[in-house]
Amino acid sequence: MTRVSPSSHFANADAARTALQMALPMIEPQMTQPEVVGSGFLYIVVMDPALRPGDVPFEEAILLEHAVGDRAKWDADYAAFARAKAKASWEQGMDGHRLQALQPYKLREGDSMLWGAVCLDGIVVGVSGAHAYYDEAFATAIAGCLRAVAKHRWQQAVDARQLFAGGSAPGR
C-alpha cells in the first residue's frame, strides 16, 4: 500500500513559491519606504495548510522561508520573529493581531507578542521586518495568492477528471 502524504497536495512548496513570486512585485517596491518597512528587510514564513499542530513539529510544517533584503545588514533576527509569529498563528489557528488584541489569554510562556502573521482559511503566513500592519498586509497578500494557486491547481485536477488529489485513490 502506498503511503499518502499528510502534506497539502495543492498548496505545496511549489505552490508557495509561485504565490510568493506573485506577491513580490507588490512587496519589493515598499522595501525603500521607511513608513512601510522601517528596517528595509523582510522575512517570510509560509506554513503547510494541511498540517496542524499535533501532526508534525512546527519546523516540519514550514513550506517556504524567504528573505527580502541583504541578511548581512539585518539589525534584528527577522527570521526568528517571522517564525515566532507564524508559529503562534499556526498553533492557535488565527491571525496574530486577533490573538494579541482579543485573545491574549491563549498566549503561553515563550509565545511571540508581535503580530504580523495571518491565518486565511487555514493558510498561515508570518512576515517580519515591516511595521506590524504592513507585515500583516504582505502576509495576507501571500496567503491569498497561495489560496488562488491551490484553487487553480484543484480546478485543473477536476478538469482532468481526477477523483482524488494526486490522481489515484489512496492505498492504490
Side-chain angles (χ1 to χ4, degrees), residues 40-43 66-80:
F41 312 104
L42 279 182
Y43 199 79
H66 182 79
V68 180
D70 184 358
R71 287 184 77 165
K73 296 180 181 178
W74 281 9
D75 58 349
D77 190 351
Y78 296 107

